[in-house]
Each structure stands twice: as C-alpha cells, then as structure tokens.
Amino acid sequence: MADDVEQGFRAEVAEWLKANFPASLAYKNPQPYHNDGALADADADFQLWLRRIADKGWGAVTWAPEYGGAGLTRAHEAVINQEMARIGAFNPNRSYGMMMLGPTLLEYADDEQKLRFLPGIAKGTVRWCQGFSEPGAGSDLASLQTKCIDQGDHWLVNGQKIWTSGANHAHWCFCLVRTDTSRKQAGISFLLIDMSSPGVEARPITLISGTTHFAEVFLTDVQVPKENIVGGVNQGWAVAKRLLQFERDSLAGNRAEAPSLAPLAKRYIGEDADGRIADPDLRRRLILNSMRSRAYSQTFQRAAREAKAGTGTSPALSAVKNLGSDVSQERGELIVEILGNRGLGWEGGGFEPDELEATRAWLHSKAYSIYGGSFEIQNNITAKRVLNLPDYQ
Amino acid sequence: MAVLNEEQRMLRDGAEAWALDRAPVTALRRLRELDGQTGFDPDLYAEMAEMGWTGILVPEEFGGSDFGHLSLGLIVERLGRTLLPSPLIDSAVAAVGALRLAGNAAQQERFLPALASGELVAVLALDEDRRHPQRQVALAAERDGDGWRLSGVKRPVPFGMAAGLFIVPARTTDGVALFLVDGDAAGLDRRALREVLPRGAAILSFDNVAVGPDALLSPPGEGQGVLDRVLDRACICQAAEMLGAAVQAFETTLDYLKTRKQFGRIIGQFQALQHRAANLYAELELTRSAVEAALAALDEDGDDIPVLASLAKALAGDTLRRMATEMIQLHGGIGMTDEHDAGFYLKRARVADMSFGNAAFHRERYARLCGY
Ligand SMILES: Cc1cc2nc3c(=O)[nH]c(=O)nc-3n(C[C@H](O)[C@H](O)[C@H](O)COP(=O)(O)OP(=O)(O)OC[C@H]3O[C@@H](n4cnc5c(N)ncnc54)[C@H](O)[C@@H]3O)c2cc1C
C-alpha cells in the first residue's frame, strides 16, 4: 500500500516529526494520554504536540481540509503511522470523536453538520463523550428511555445516561434519545448535546481501578437546537449501529502483540538451574498466554491482509474481539501474579510506579469484555451472523 | 484463508474436487475393514502422485514442481477434512525435506525422482517407544569398515509396513547421524501394529543392520540439526492437516445443531450451545492464523520457523482434540456410535497430536526458544 505514495513523502514525514515531536513523549504509552482524559490536559508537551499535529492536518490525515484534515490517502496515513512508530511517536488525537463520531458523521451528517462538528474533532479541540447506555439499557441498548420531546423550536431532553466515559472532560455528547415511545428501535434518534447546556450534570463514578474514567450524566429539561439531530428523527438506530461498528473496529485493533513477560517473570521469581522461570505452574500459564497472544496478532495481520485482498472470508470481528479481551485479561492476571506481594499495592511508598500501574491496569482490564458489546453479546453475534444459528429467543 | 496466487487457487480447487469424489470418510472406513497392513490405499496415492502432489516440494530438476509449503498445506488441509490416511506428509514433506536439506547429489538423484512420482514411499523412523524423543536416541550406529551397523528399535513408525525407505536417526559416539535404510535390508524386521486408526504403523527392529557409506545422510553430530529442520516442516504440514480435520468436525457439528430438535426446537437455538459454537469458531480462526503464518514462513525461509512450527503444532493439537470432544458431546448418543464419524475425529486427534511431538512437547519447545 505504502508503495503508492510519492517518492520523498516518507522523508518529509520523518523530517517533520524530528523537528516537531516533543522528545519527552517518546515511547509514552498513548493509552493514558488519550485526548479525552485529564492526563492529556495536564501535560504541556502533549498539548503542544496536539497543536502541531492539528495545524498540520494530521489529526485526521484522510479527512478533507475543510473538515480539518490533510486530504491525504490511506497510503499516506500508513506512512505517517509507520514513521511515528519508528521513533516512538504517536497520534495525539486519539479520541472518541476520532474513533467513533467522526467517521459516523462523515457518512450520516448533512453538510452543515459536517462543517460545524468535524474540524473540532480533527483538531482535537472539542472533546466528545458517548451517551448511549442507561441504567436500564446496557446490552439491550434499544430499550433506552431518555425522552426527547419536540417543542417546536427546540428539543426538550429528560433522562439519565450512565457509564459515559470521559463525560467530566467532554465538551459535547453524542446521545441516543427516544423521540417515539411506541416503537423500540424505530423510535430512537441520534442527538448531539452541548455538555455546557443548562440541565446537564455529570457525576463521576469511581471504577474498581480507582480512576474516575466515566460518569453518570443527568439530563433535566435540557434544551437542544433542532438542527442537532443526525440522520433524521427516529432514524438514530442505524446511525448508532454504524457507530458501534467503528467502536468495535477500534477496540479489536487496540491490542496488538504484547511484549514477552519472560524477563519480568525471571526478574521477580528467578530461574531454576535450567534457566527456566522458577515457578513451573505460573510458567506454564505464561507460555499458554504467550502462544495465544502471538496467534491473536497473527489473526489480526491475516484479517488485514484478507480485507485488503478482498477475499471475503476474514475472521469475524466479533470473534476477534473476544479473543483479544481474553488474551489481554489473562495477561493482566499473570502480571499481577508475577509481581506477587508487589502486585497488591494501591498507592504511596513501598511500591515501584510500574508495579502500581500494573495493578491498576489489571483491574481496568476487566472492562474489556464488557464495553463495546460484552463477551456474551459478541458470541450472540458470531452465532447468529457468522454461524447462521437460529435466534435463541 | 490465506491470500492465494493463481497456481495455489488451482491446486486448492483440484484438491477439493478430488477429495469430494475420492476421499470421503468412507475411504478410511474401507481401509479399516480391509485390515491390511499398508495403512493407505496405494491406488489413491497413485492418483495423488499423478496430480503432482507428491512432488510439490521436490525441485523441478528431480521431477517435482517446487510449488512450496503453502501449496502443500492447502492440499493436506483439504485431505485432513475427511481424515484420508496417506503418507503424503511423511514421505512428500519429511523424507523429501531430509533429502533436500542433507542429501548429497547421488542420494538426491537416486531418491527424489522416485519420491516425486510416488513410486517410492519413504518415512522417518523417529519415535522409539512411549514419547517423541527429546534429544535422546537409543538406536545405535557403529562403524563397520567404511560402512555402519545399526541396532535398536523404532516404534511406532507410521506407514512402516509399506515404506520402501526409512530415514533413521541413530546415536553414534559423535552424536546423532541420519541413515537411509532400505525397507528390505537384511536384519531389519517389521511387525505391524494395530492402532486406533489405520496408518500402517510398524515396529522396526534393527538387528545389526549393515549399511554402506552411501547410506549416511547426515554425518554424526549434524543429524540432530537436520532432523530439527525436517521436523519443523513435518509439524507445520501436520498442523495444516489437523486444522482441516478440526474445520470439518466443526462444520459437521454445526449442521447437526441446525437440524436436531429437542424440547420442540432446534438445539442450535439454545444459547449455551451457541456460545460453545462461537468459542470453537474463534479457536479455529486462531489456529488457522498460526498454521498459515508458519507455512508462509517456510516458503519465505524466515528465521523464526522453529517458534512458529511449535506454535502451530501445539495449537492445532489442542484445538482438534477439543473440537473432536465437543463433536461427540454435541451429537449426544449418536456421536458415541461407530457408525457415526465423530469417533474417527477423536481418534485422529490423538494420533495426529502424537505425531512429530505432541502439544505439551511443543509448548515446552516454544517456551525454551522464547526464553521462558
Ligand atoms: C470501562 C467502561 C466504559 C464504558 N464507556 C461507555 C461509554 O462511553 N458510553 C456508553 O454509552 N456506555 C459505556 N459503557 C457501557 C457499556 O457499553 C455497557 O456496560 C455494556 O453495554 C453492558 O451493559 P450493562 O453494563 O448494562 O450490562 P448488562 O447488559 O446488564 O449485562 C449483564 C450481564 O448479562 C450478560 N447479557 C446481557 N444480555 C445478554 C444476552 N442477550 N445473552 C447473554 N448474556 C447477556 C452480559 O454479557 C453481562 O455479562 C462502558 C462500560 C465500561 C465497563
């Protein structure tokens, strides 16, 4: 693919990165530096990097310049990504807006909405959160109840959203609301809500990992302009399904092959006379996880190759997501087991920063099989769509 | 499924058509009833040879096509679906591989054309009893003039009753050497073993078998290195065959889930069974990725072949065993009957796992190679 890019582009990219990527960020795990989080806000170099990328249009490489992108091809994007990876740089504009809303708007929004909302996403200046789940509507998302009533010159919204990631840092929320109570899927609309509107209140929820990654969002008599509906009144379910596809794509792609845990295990546990990890039972489970992790990334590469060649027989994404969450959750368990008593720390002295971080990561990893469609829901999808088994209901 | 070139697509389609016509599971049943000792159907093997499959890894100058391992992998995967017993992997992969890697010009000229044409079946005489050897070879070779004398036992040797040539790893005072031993060499006794599935397995007893200097394939000290590389190739192709068996076991089971009715509905409507099917599907995809990556690495002569070989063989072993077990369980009583094919998949799972090192062996090898 990268062969299609004109000669010299790669060198240009490399040169620009060299001049503009702040050295302090090299090989920093981009995950905590997600542009929806507090860490990103606090880091001046991160903010600088984001501004530079945005000015270059590389926050959304393939989007048209009027939408804040650089108007380049996927091949160019691939070259940029490769060059970034080479020096430990990363795209600072990873956000819910980029991963989910942006691509959806490109397909479903009208021209005015695109011009209004896409540049903020591409530049990383406007942060979005996803207001889909409700206390009574999780896996069965279409049973959502947040009411949205037509008041002539505006919508009036009342209801409650929950598990809204990044809500306390977000400027805007893409929401699913009910505009018709007589029909389930066909009564849902896709609505964009300004988080600073009167009547919007986000209350942080503390996760088992101690972070306040997400919030409950209460919507009380919130007035929303009529033009903020995407895809038409009562047409929101199709928009939401497309958006969830983008979400699944990005989640499944999130976890490429992770580095070997053997050095860590040998450092913490020691080696036997034969040079093996000294705890045979743990060693065996580490080996299994490593093998599955490698086969998982092989699956990923294969899916990409096959998608490119259009053979149409790629492994189903729903199954790939489950393999991925399985492999990385097990890895989280193994790391904490390797750390032993050092894996029990919560904060403060007596523990290395890496140890504390590993413990939090282990706790957080339990979410992998819940969000973006739970493990069980993915299996329902595989059974129905891939294996063509009849509906279980 | 791997991205294929034109040649590979034709091979795959040819194998598909032939297997549907000539190699259903009934071919395996027939062999079992015949109770012969060859373990395969020589007529079918001749047909396979005629289509060029036995020469896929043989250079063109020796009558082969040199199409590569991915091509061969496609064929054995297809044949694996219906469990066709044939010495294709033993002879056209392992023996051919050994001769290509270690054979001198005379040895290659003498044996490769006959292997490519299918006239000759050659197999490794590898295992010595209960387990795949972990670098301990008991069968001994002693110098005798400019030749050698071999003494010891190899068992089980698949297709050992029918093979015309054996490749025999033997211990010498200077390390492992590989020998080429004629099937009718004086002092070599073969006895047929009856195993759970026909594969013509034999006990080979070497009683001071005398061989000339031209029988030395790999000199003392070099044999193990060659053998490891040969086994990588055999393992990877074996894993491809096991993948095929697992795919078929899965598809047969899935069909049953869509037809069998209990409690007034199709059993495939029960979510407990749907999720089992979905999990098995994911395992199949994982295994396919490992197998195809390993086959591709062989053709690209990658430097991580040993790791990828052990990964593929171990995953294929676990996946096929699990799949065959689930095949029986999800079929209920009918799955336990000899009349149903499910039992054959379970038996093949066990036999194939034991071939060229089982899943546990390869997990440990992978672990060593990766520093665990
Ligand atoms: C870290 C994290 C971040 C999140 N971020 C967001 C966000 O930004 N925006 C947002 O809108 N939501 C977000 N979510 C919510 C997430 O999408 C929901 O948690 C998820 O859809 C599951 O819904 P639920 O929690 O109500 O569980 P339930 O749907 O009540 O599920 C409970 C259990 O029942 C199982 N189950 C449910 N239905 C079936 C079925 N048909 N068959 C078999 N088993 C079933 C589930 O798999 C689960 O094990 C986030 C969740 C987490 C954990």
Side-chain angles (χ1 to χ4, degrees), chain B residues 59-261:
Chain B
E60 288 178 34
E61 51 175 319
F62 297 119
S65 63
D66 214 4
F67 278 169
H69 288 88
L70 181 58
S71 298
L72 193 93
L74 294 169
I75 291 169
V76 293
E77 182 189 330
R78 185 60 192 79
L79 300 181
R81 275 176 163 255
T82 45
L83 311 175
L84 179 73
S86 95
L88 193 61
I89 292 173
D90 306 79
S91 190
V93 179
V96 164
L99 279 156
R100 281 192 76 164
L101 286 170
N104 59 33
Q107 289 166 333
Q108 292 191 347
E109 262 160 48
R110 183 159 162 224
F111 296 117
L112 282 176
L115 286 170
S117 72
E119 286 155 59
L120 175 67
V121 169
V123 303
L124 294 178
L126 189 63
D127 288 8
E128 299 198 336
D129 193 2
R130 296 196 178 101
R131 293 195 170 269
H132 181 66
Q134 211 154 358
R135 294 190 183 273
Q136 65 256 20
V137 180
L139 187 138
E142 278 176 20
R143 279 184 199 279
D144 180 25
D146 60 354
W148 300 80
R149 282 188 178 274
L150 309 185
S151 291
V153 175
K154 295 281 184 182
R155 69 164 289 179
V157 177
F159 308 104
M161 295 309 289
L165 180 73
F166 295 104
I167 294 169
V168 185
R171 181 173 51 79
T172 75
T173 46
D174 306 311
V176 173
L178 300 182
F179 293 93
L180 297 163
V181 179
D182 258 14
D184 47 18
L188 172 58
D189 175 59
R190 326 190 202 187
R191 222 157 10 105
L193 286 165
R194 292 231 340 141
E195 295 183 323
V196 289
L197 271 192
R199 57 165 184 166
I203 301 180
L204 303 191
S205 303
F206 294 77
D207 181 13
N208 257 322
V209 174
V211 295
D214 57 342
L216 187 64
L217 181 64
S218 247
E222 288 174 24
Q224 190 64 51
V226 172
L227 190 59
D228 285 345
R229 293 180 65 195
V230 171
L231 288 176
D232 282 339
R233 297 175 182 198
C235 270
I236 292 167
C237 292
Q238 183 68 61
E241 191 193 55
M242 294 160 85
L243 172 66
V247 167
Q248 187 62 55
F250 181 68
E251 288 181 4
T252 303
T253 305
L254 197 57
D255 282 346
Y256 195 67
L257 292 183
K258 290 175 185 172
T259 47
R260 171 72 174 164
K261 275 193 170 165

